């Protein structure tokens, strides 16, 4: 990767570097003391301060301070970057026409200017997802329990698609709910709805006292349905659960398997 970096350039030197970088389609960062103004759907002004200006080849412009992750001013992709020296200061403008908007940054001093050709694509691979967790279980069903046999993923039900449907060593239907992070009682309620839907599909009648976690009060004693019936089992797979979730699992006769989305190295 080619990187151009200059320290304490004059305004004219900074302009030359910017014009060359615009021509090459580089990613540019400029740090220095500047003011910022915006005109468009509204108007705003920032007084003098030390800030970082980032100019992307897709037209995006971002002005950052030393606080927060969001820029204090920005222009979206599709804008056009231009630079000039006016009244003894370096002026950088990012404009777009639909709608009409202009972001203007005027540098009293430039401390550093860098330009670089950034490559590598934009595809993001997410690690530690529920899909990773599903893959682990499909490749090694014994991580759920010995004898577990996955039969179907995303199995449709009246409560929505089940993450994993299978049977245990005794042939009992099992609904497996996957969560990639520590979870609370809501996850137990979700699992209960899938178990209930499967029991209804199989024609297993529920007890008259059946309740749903969504309507039960956390402050009182929950009535438990017969979701702990041996005809259908529920297993929650998650790295960890809260104490209240553990209570709900025990009340319903569900199991918890502590499993991370990806193996520990």
């Amino acid at each position: 990767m080619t990187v151009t970096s200059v320290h304490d350039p004059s305004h004219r030197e900074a302009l030359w570097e910017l014009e060359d970088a615009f021509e090459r389609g580089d990613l540019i960062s400029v740090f220095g003391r500047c003011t910022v103004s915006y005109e468009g759907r509204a108007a705003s002004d920032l007084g003098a301060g030390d800030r970082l200006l980032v100019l992307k080849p897709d037209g995006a412009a971002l002005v950052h301070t030393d606080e927060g992750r969001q820029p204090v001013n920005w222009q979206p992709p599709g804008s056009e970057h231009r630079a000039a020296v006016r009244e003894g200061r370096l002026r950088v403008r990012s404009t777009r026409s639909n709608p009409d908007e202009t972001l203007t940054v005027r540098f009293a001093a430039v401390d550093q200017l860098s330009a670089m050709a950034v490559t590598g694509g934009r595809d993001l691979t997410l690690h530690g997802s529920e899909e990773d967790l599903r893959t682990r279980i499909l490749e090694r069903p014994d991580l759920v329990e010995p004898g577990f046999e996955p039969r179907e993923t995303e199995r449709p039900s009246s409560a929505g698609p089940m993450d994993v449907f299978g049977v245990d060593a005794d042939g009992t239907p099992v609904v497996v709910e996957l969560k990639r992070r520590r979870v609370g009682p809501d996850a137990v309620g979700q699992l209960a709805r899938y178990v209930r839907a499967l029991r209804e599909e199989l024609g297993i009648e529920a007890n008259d006292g059946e309740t749903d976690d969504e309507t039960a009060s956390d402050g009182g004693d929950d009535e438990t349905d017969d979701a702990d019936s041996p005809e259908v089992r529920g297993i929650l797979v998650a790295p960890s659960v809260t104490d209240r979730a553990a209570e709900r699992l025990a009340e319903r006769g569900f199991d918890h398997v502590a499993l991370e989305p990806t193996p520990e190295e």
Side-chain angles (χ1 to χ4, degrees), residues 4 6 9-24 28 83-85 90 113 115:
T4 300
V6 292
S10 67
H11 294 298
R12 188 63 59 181
E13 289 171 336
L15 173 62
W16 295 335
E17 294 295 346
L18 285 173
E19 289 177 337
D20 287 344
F22 291 155
E23 182 69 23
R24 293 192 302 266
I28 303 165
V85 175
L90 175 67
L113 185 154

Side-chain angles (χ1 to χ4, degrees), residues 23-241:
E23 182 69 23
R24 293 192 302 266
D26 286 353
L27 173 70
I28 303 165
S29 66
V30 187
F31 181 80
R33 192 155 190 85
C34 62
T35 61
V36 184
S37 63
Y38 165 81
E39 294 181 359
R41 290 168 291 182
S44 66
D45 290 285
L46 278 176
D50 297 322
R51 301 183 182 95
L52 174 67
L53 170 64
V54 178
L55 302 171
K56 297 185 178 183
D58 67 355
L62 311 170
V63 179
H64 284 278
T65 65
D66 61 345
E67 296 180 339
R69 61 186 180 88
Q70 297 288 350
V72 292
N73 282 96
W74 62 282
Q75 282 280 71
S79 303
E80 182 179 3
H81 306 316
R82 294 182 179 276
V85 175
R86 295 288 185 270
E87 299 177 352
R89 293 188 296 176
L90 175 67
R91 185 190 72 193
V92 181
R93 278 185 172 163
S94 179
T95 61
R96 68 172 180 158
S97 57
N98 187 22
D100 289 329
E101 293 182 305
T102 302
L103 179 69
T104 303
V105 184
R106 295 180 173 88
F107 286 91
V110 175
D111 297 315
Q112 183 174 11
L113 185 154
S114 298
M116 58 214 82
V118 178
T119 60
R122 301 177 178 86
D123 292 336
L124 177 67
T125 301
L126 178 64
H127 298 283
S129 65
E130 288 182 10
E131 185 59 36
D132 290 326
L133 194 55
R134 189 195 330 266
T135 299
R136 287 198 71 188
I137 289 173
L138 295 179
E139 292 178 348
R140 288 193 55 193
D142 61 298
L143 291 172
V144 176
E145 65 179 26
F148 175 67
E149 180 184 340
R151 293 282 182 85
E152 195 173 350
T153 61
E154 298 297 322
R155 173 176 174 149
S157 78
S158 59
M162 306 172 192
D163 286 336
V164 179
F165 165 75
V167 295
D168 64 15
D170 297 325
T172 302
V174 180
V175 177
V176 179
E177 175 66 14
L178 306 177
K179 298 295 182 185
R180 67 188 181 95
R181 293 178 178 172
R182 178 178 174 85
V183 293
D186 286 350
V188 183
Q190 184 178 6
L191 176 59
R193 290 190 290 277
Y194 293 140
V195 169
R196 182 178 302 114
L198 182 58
R199 295 176 70 246
E200 292 174 351
E201 178 185 328
L202 298 177
I204 303 171
E205 295 183 1
N207 289 338
D208 292 337
E210 182 175 3
T211 62
D212 195 308
D213 280 354
E214 287 185 327
T215 58
S217 169
D218 283 345
D221 294 331
D222 298 338
E223 286 187 275
T224 59
D225 59 24
D226 61 349
D228 59 350
S229 167
E231 289 90 347
V232 177
R233 295 179 55 200
I235 299 178
L236 177 62
V237 177
S240 62
V241 299

